[in-house]
Amino acid sequence: MEIDTALARYHHLQIKEIMPTKEDMPIVCINDSVSDVLNLLRTRHHVWVIDTKNDNNLEGIIRYLDVIDFLLPPSKHKIYMGSSTSILKSIIGGANTVKEILQPNPLTINQNNTVLEVLTKMEQYKVQIIGVVDDDNKLVGEISLKILIRQFMDLCLGPKGC
């Protein structure tokens, strides 16, 4: 298969066709403890936050680097006029639950969108992972640059290759 043919085919794949199952995702509920997040972040680079396991409403994300705010003492946080949120996210500042340390409004894309649309969004926002939601805006998966690379390589390494 020629590279331009492979790319065209690849770009038209729907996200839901290539994303891993939700069971493989790092997910916590909004009222879980911060220690639950830290346990997941030992081996993952992010954790998705939902309201409850039954509803799957996406509330936020906690990335590996976000934990720095949690671990720093309040005296080390940079404070600017009108903001003390990073201090409140520290362990010494009293953060105990996921709700207190999450980054709200994570970037999402609908599962029916194409690979080309997710790549465009990743490039626009300079991110490597995006939450995948259904038509009711419920978290159903995630798509990362790593997954996209793997999918393209699988397509190219098929019977005819690229």
Side-chain angles (χ1 to χ4, degrees), residues 30-45:
I30 199 160
N31 291 319
D32 288 349
S33 74
V34 171
S35 63
D36 293 333
V37 172
L38 295 176
N39 278 328
L40 284 169
L41 289 175
R42 286 175 166 182
T43 59
R44 302 301 294 255
H45 290 99

Side-chain angles (χ1 to χ4, degrees), residues 69 72-90:
D69 281 340
L72 277 175
S75 62
K76 296 293 184 184
H77 287 270
K78 292 181 181 170
I79 301 173
Y80 53 92
M81 201 58 139
S83 176
S84 61
T85 57
S86 63
I87 289 176
L88 296 175
K89 288 183 178 187
S90 76

